[in-house]
């Protein structure tokens, strides 16, 4: 049956909404990108995210065109499309940039200045590392709990800098 799914949900509508089916994978992708990949600068990532979000938004708008321009639907359908496209744009761009990066890593060594733990719903472990080649100031980097417990303040740690498949440099602490 054509046009049986819609991107927004109206109360008492016979059309099921696909928002959750699209939103949750996009959120998962974005959260993985936030927790797994440290970017040198987000300024280089935003144009890539924007282009990806525009492409995803156009595809969602085309797929929702029969609902998009109905009276009273423009704001809800349009807002949903912008939200979904933005979340997908960030997650997909970041993951593609790191996962498909086959450039050789450049290793740097820097000193651990401090350590701290952030807790709440999720516990995160951070090392504050001294400035190193492309990073001009001390910065917190997230590490595993095992590595956090192993490393001492004042100790040297190695960092691998990658070019990024999409040209957005990112790095990891070599554990």
């Amino acid at each position: 049956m054509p046009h049986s799914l819609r991107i927004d949900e109206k109360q008492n509508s016979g059309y099921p909404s696909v928002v959750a089916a699209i939103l949750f994978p996009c959120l998962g992708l974005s959260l993985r990108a936030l927790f797994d990949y440290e970017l040198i600068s987000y300024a280089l990532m935003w144009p890539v995210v924007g282009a990806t979000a525009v492409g995803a938004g156009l595809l969602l708008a085309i797929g929702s065109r029969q609902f998009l321009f109905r009276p009273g639907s423009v704001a809800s359908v349009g807002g949903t499309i912008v939200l979904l496209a933005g979340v997908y744009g960030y997650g997909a761009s970041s993951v593609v940039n790191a996962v498909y990066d086959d450039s050789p890593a450049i290793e740097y060594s820097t000193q651990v200045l401090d350590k701290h733990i952030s807790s709440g719903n999720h516990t995160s472990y951070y090392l504050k590392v001294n400035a190193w080649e492309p990073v001009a100031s001390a910065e917190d980097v997230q590490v595993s709990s095992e590595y956090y417990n192993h490393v001492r303040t004042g100790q040297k740690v190695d960092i691998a800098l990658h070019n990024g498949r999409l040209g957005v440099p990112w790095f990891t602490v070599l554990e």
Side-chain angles (χ1 to χ4, degrees):
M1 173 198 270
H3 312 298
S4 60
L5 297 175
R6 57 186 300 158
I7 200 160
D8 68 336
E9 187 171 356
K10 298 277 185 197
Q11 199 168 19
N12 299 324
S13 172
Y15 296 102
S17 174
V18 296
V19 171
I22 298 171
L23 180 61
F24 289 123
C26 293
L27 281 173
L29 200 60
S30 291
L31 288 173
R32 288 294 354 148
L34 279 172
F35 291 129
D36 290 351
Y37 312 115
E38 300 265 3
L39 299 178
I40 295 293
S41 169
Y42 278 91
L44 296 172
M45 182 55 90
W46 294 129
V48 177
V49 169
T52 304
V54 166
L58 285 173
L59 290 174
L60 288 169
I62 289 168
S64 301
R65 67 187 174 280
Q66 67 274 12
F67 301 110
L68 184 59
F69 298 109
R70 288 191 179 166
S73 290
V74 175
S76 67
V77 175
T80 302
I81 288 172
V82 169
L83 171 71
L84 293 173
V87 172
Y88 176 78
Y90 173 75
S93 298
S94 296
V95 169
V96 165
N97 186 61
V99 171
Y100 295 104
D101 181 8
D102 55 4
S103 65
I106 301 170
E107 290 187 25
Y108 295 92
S109 186
T110 189
Q111 186 177 27
V112 176
L113 300 175
D114 196 13
K115 299 167 47 169
H116 66 94
I117 298 172
S118 173
S119 59
N121 290 339
H122 172 67
T123 302
S124 299
Y125 300 86
Y126 295 94
L127 302 177
K128 184 174 194 115
V129 296
N130 204 2
W132 50 283
E133 184 73 27
V135 178
S137 61
E139 183 171 311
D140 283 341
V141 293
Q142 189 171 356
V143 295
S144 69
S145 62
E146 294 83 15
Y147 193 68
Y148 178 88
N149 290 326
H150 173 74
V151 173
R152 303 286 172 238
T153 302
Q155 185 176 335
K156 292 278 188 181
V157 293
D158 293 322
I159 295 178
L161 175 66
H162 306 269
N163 290 332
R165 180 66 177 205
L166 303 175
V168 181
W170 62 285
F171 66 91
T172 56
V173 176
L174 298 175
E175 297 189 17

